[in-house]
Amino acid sequence: MTTENSSRTSTVPETDSEEYSSVNPATDMIDCKLSRRDFVKTVGYFTGAGALGLQLISVETIVECAPLEFSASAHTVELTVNGLVHKLTMDTRVTLLDALREYLKLTGTKKGCDHGQCGACTVLVNGRRINSCLSLAVTHQGDQITTIEGLSGGEELHPLQTAFIEHDGFQCGYCTPGQICSAVALLEEARRGDASFVTPDLAHTGRVELTPEEIRERMSGNVCRCGAYPGIVQAVQTASRTL
Amino acid sequence: MNPFEYQQVDEPATAVDAISRWRGSKFLAGGTNLIDLMKNTVEQPPKLIDINHIPLRGIEQTPDGGVKLGALARNSDTANHPLIRKNYPLLSQAILSGASPQLRNMATNGGNLLQRTRCPYFMDPAFSRCNKRTPGSGCSALEGFHENHAILGASDQCIATHPSDMCVALAALEAKVRVRGPKGERIIAIGDFHRLPGTTPQIDTTLMPDELIVSIDLPPSPYGSHSHYLKIRERTSYAFALVSVAAAIDVDSGWIRGARLALGGVAHKPWRVEAAEAALAGQKLSISLFEQAASRALSGARPRRDNTYKVEMAKRAIIRALTIAGGLA
């Protein structure tokens, strides 16, 4: 195992270590006081989720192979997330997704593919759904960002959260925060009459009737590997009738 | 991702000045393609110039009856603008057929023009040979898996396709791209904007490195609802086209006054087929006429081992798109 660990350390690609240093600047990594959660996240950066459990790298090893490099590329931004303003100084490379998860510890928003293909990282920016993994945090000064943590009113769930529970709109739950944020925006888009590729008549500009076909097309940016799609479609349709 | 400097600008002149000073720097708009490519080091700009605060998001009618699309208007806002849905439904359809709602909310009109190919050998630096990524290194796709590569206009240096749906509609609608450089503005016809690969596949467009797209200008359209964007893909939604067709017909009592036809997924650029358009003009609407036009559109096709299917698929897609656009479906 020791041999494996050291070989792993030496073969970590440069890009990976840079990615790592860009997401965890001046907090846990500096003094090596990693919580177990941070440790698991850190290992995840190097191995990918699929290899978790096989790679028991020591904390010392990780610090050694993750040089912090800051200088010209740091930038300060005020992020307004769920109504609270956070002033952060970050490497310019930090995505909004990583800022939410690693700086603000809002881990409800999930990292799936990290390439804008799966939708797990979907959040609302000024009410519009976007992929936070493809958006640099420094570009969001002054924006109103809403994450899954900001949807409920205290103990009162958002109607879409209730609908997902009611219709079993998930199995493992990993894609669910992205699905729900996406669906929240979907309902607003349909209410104001935005068309989709399956909308039969583009000239009709009123509120869109959310048929299962419309919902499937409009939710196509959110992948669910458990295949909970029937429940997701039902949940969105139910919520569309109550909201 | 490599480190980069970051600067926000709020007017076109400042943007052009900034990019002229930093060799290799890039404008950042929606970022959906650029950030993705930076993550795997295909793109390595030393500086990003954030142009999102430049007021170029408007969509407005022009005095000649056309429409000016701001370069920074989002794809979703463009597709859903009342002027576009009413006068250019072909463009709305094309935009809405691409990507996902999240990506269309981020992606800009200017950025859509500058999308880079999704050829897997270009996207992944693990493949060492790619003339588009590393000029002179060779092309892995020539002998590799090229089932989704070009059948028209390719070269022995590059057989990649242009990934955009929006641009296929813009080609059929004869859009003009208004750009600003250090010496002022110029206008590039959409047909001249994207390049064929030739011996320099690393250059996608005729936009100069220090030029900023400010708008996409649409001329008045006589096609209205006699148009259709047909996209053939391997799943129902959220996939790039194997073949797509933008068809627009100016119809008068069953006769074709003029037609526009462009294909996606078949070439290094949106592939407008003027020979097929000429075959349609002045004729009476009929399926057999569409079959002739389709044959003519694909007469120059040079498929490779894995993508011969695209020739027949493109012909049938053209016939289908024209049939729907002409109201014969």
Side-chain angles (χ1 to χ4, degrees):
Chain A
M1 207 56 199
T2 310
T3 317
E4 264 188 61
N5 285 348
S6 54
S7 99
R8 179 82 204 171
T9 307
S10 61
T11 55
V12 168
E14 194 189 355
T15 46
D16 272 10
S17 56
E18 285 176 1
E19 175 86 12
Y20 178 71
S21 70
S22 74
V23 295
N24 236 328
T27 53
D28 305 317
M29 292 309 297
I30 295 278
D31 57 14
C32 299
K33 285 178 188 164
L34 283 173
S35 66
R36 184 187 173 279
R37 182 185 186 89
D38 288 328
F39 172 67
V40 171
K41 280 179 189 166
T42 306
V43 174
Y45 277 113
F46 287 100
T47 61
L52 273 180
L54 299 175
Q55 301 285 342
L56 294 172
I57 309 172
S58 73
V59 171
E60 289 75 16
T61 309
I62 293 164
V63 172
E64 195 180 312
C65 66
L68 292 174
E69 45 169 85
F70 272 102
S71 59
S73 53
H75 202 89
T76 300
V77 64
E78 285 178 340
L79 290 183
T80 307
V81 183
N82 303 328
L84 293 175
V85 182
H86 307 268
K87 188 171 184 178
L88 300 169
T89 299
M90 293 176 293
D91 190 304
T92 50
R93 289 169 288 184
V94 177
T95 60
L96 178 58
L97 171 62
D98 285 333
L100 293 170
R101 289 181 55 83
E102 311 300 335
Y103 284 71
L104 303 180
K105 306 299 175 189
L106 292 170
T107 51
T109 307
K110 296 294 188 270
K111 181 180 282 197
C113 69
D114 209 25
H115 286 280
Q117 298 173 6
C118 76
C121 68
T122 303
V123 299
L124 307 176
V125 174
N126 302 324
R128 296 159 63 103
R129 47 178 162 165
I130 69 158
N131 298 110
S132 62
C133 74
L134 289 182
S135 195
L136 296 175
V138 295
T139 64
H140 288 288
Q141 175 81 34
D143 286 337
Q144 296 290 329
I145 297 154
T146 305
T147 68
I148 188 72
E149 291 92 343
L151 289 182
S152 63
E155 293 298 304
E156 179 111 358
L157 291 179
H158 186 282
L160 264 163
Q161 292 173 309
T162 307
F164 266 68
I165 294 168
E166 184 187 334
H167 292 283
D168 268 347
F170 52 85
Q171 185 175 313
C172 82
Y174 194 80
C175 71
T176 313
Q179 299 276 2
I180 291 178
C181 283
S182 196
V184 169
L186 179 160
L187 295 183
E188 171 58 19
E189 291 158 10
R191 190 195 59 73
R192 67 170 181 246
D194 284 3
S196 82
F197 189 57
V198 301
T199 304
D201 182 10
L202 287 174
H204 172 74
T205 53
R207 182 177 183 141
V208 176
E209 187 197 345
L210 286 174
T211 61
E213 186 189 19
E214 281 280 6
I215 293 169
R216 281 195 292 269
E217 166 61 25
R218 290 163 188 264
M219 290 296 287
S220 68
N222 292 82
V223 176
C224 170
R225 286 291 78 143
C226 299
Y229 297 116
I232 292 170
V233 171
Q234 287 171 15
V236 175
Q237 199 161 31
T238 295
S240 75
R241 292 179 184 134
T242 56
L243 279 171
Chain B
M1 197 186 295
N2 283 0
F4 56 85
E5 293 280 335
Y6 173 80
Q7 179 187 355
Q8 285 181 359
V9 295
D10 54 14
E11 56 181 299
T14 323
V16 171
D17 183 60
I19 206 159
S20 306
R21 289 169 191 273
W22 283 71
R23 187 181 172 83
S25 59
K26 294 264 184 190
F27 291 132
L28 174 67
T32 55
N33 192 204
L34 179 59
I35 301 296
D36 191 24
L37 292 174
M38 286 168 67
K39 284 188 178 190
N40 57 9
T41 68
V42 172
E43 296 278 9
Q44 303 181 35
K47 176 164 182 160
L48 286 185
I49 298 154
D50 183 352
I51 57 174
N52 286 294
H53 297 276
I54 303 177
L56 291 174
R57 294 200 185 201
I59 294 173
E60 54 203 48
Q61 192 119 39
T62 52
D64 67 353
V67 171
K68 180 191 284 281
L69 307 172
L72 292 171
R74 266 43 193 175
N75 280 179
S76 50
D77 296 330
T78 306
N80 275 299
H81 195 282
L83 281 172
I84 306 304
R85 282 173 71 160
K86 180 164 173 284
N87 299 334
Y88 305 91
L90 180 68
L91 180 58
S92 290
Q93 279 184 327
I95 293 173
L96 293 172
S97 78
S100 69
Q102 290 96 314
L103 291 168
R104 294 193 295 268
N105 273 343
M106 304 168 76
T108 64
N109 293 336
N112 195 310
L113 292 182
L114 299 175
Q115 276 192 84
R116 308 214 66 191
T117 185
R118 293 331 195 267
C119 171
Y121 300 105
F122 168 76
M123 295 279 287
D124 187 350
F127 299 109
S128 58
R129 296 166 67 211
C130 172
N131 287 322
K132 188 177 279 298
R133 178 160 36 78
T134 311
S137 62
C139 173
S140 294
L142 287 174
E143 301 304 325
F145 287 86
H146 51 241
E147 61 180 14
N148 202 16
H149 287 68
I151 55 170
L152 288 156
S155 75
D156 60 1
Q157 305 274 304
C158 180
I159 57 172
T161 57
H162 195 261
S164 170
D165 293 294
M166 177 184 180
C167 293
V168 182
L170 292 177
L173 294 168
E174 299 181 295
K176 293 185 178 354
V177 187
R178 188 180 295 268
V179 307
R180 179 176 177 135
K183 293 174 184 165
E185 281 192 2
R186 69 180 177 118
I187 289 172
I188 308 171
I190 187 75
D192 299 327
F193 187 84
H194 297 99
R195 294 178 71 254
L196 290 180
T199 56
T200 51
Q202 71 273 23
I203 307 171
D204 290 348
T205 70
T206 53
L207 187 76
M208 300 305 287
D210 57 359
E211 286 180 320
L212 173 74
I213 301 171
V214 292
S215 70
I216 298 165
D217 301 348
L218 300 173
S221 167
Y223 311 111
S225 58
H226 284 296
S227 66
H228 189 71
Y229 190 74
L230 181 68
K231 182 172 181 177
I232 313 290
R233 42 187 161 175
E234 287 183 319
R235 59 185 178 204
T236 310
S237 181
Y238 200 13
F240 289 99
L242 300 174
V243 167
S244 70
V245 180
I249 311 179
D250 182 5
V251 184
D252 181 16
S253 313
W255 290 81
I256 300 173
R257 271 196 292 243
R260 293 292 176 268
L261 196 62
L263 308 179
V266 296
H268 195 260
K269 61 186 285 186
W271 193 260
R272 186 174 160 194
V273 274
E274 292 180 55
E277 294 171 3
L280 294 165
Q283 305 295 315
K284 198 169 190 334
L285 285 171
S286 75
I287 303 291
S288 62
L289 175 69
F290 299 159
E291 289 169 352
Q292 291 168 34
S295 290
R296 198 181 274 208
L298 273 298
S299 62
R302 297 284 178 271
R304 305 186 70 84
R305 184 193 65 222
D306 300 334
N307 62 5
T308 50
Y309 74 94
K310 279 196 179 185
V311 179
E312 185 62 24
M313 180 180 276
K315 286 182 189 173
R316 295 187 192 189
I318 289 170
I319 296 165
R320 179 78 186 152
L322 286 169
T323 302
I324 296 170
L328 302 184

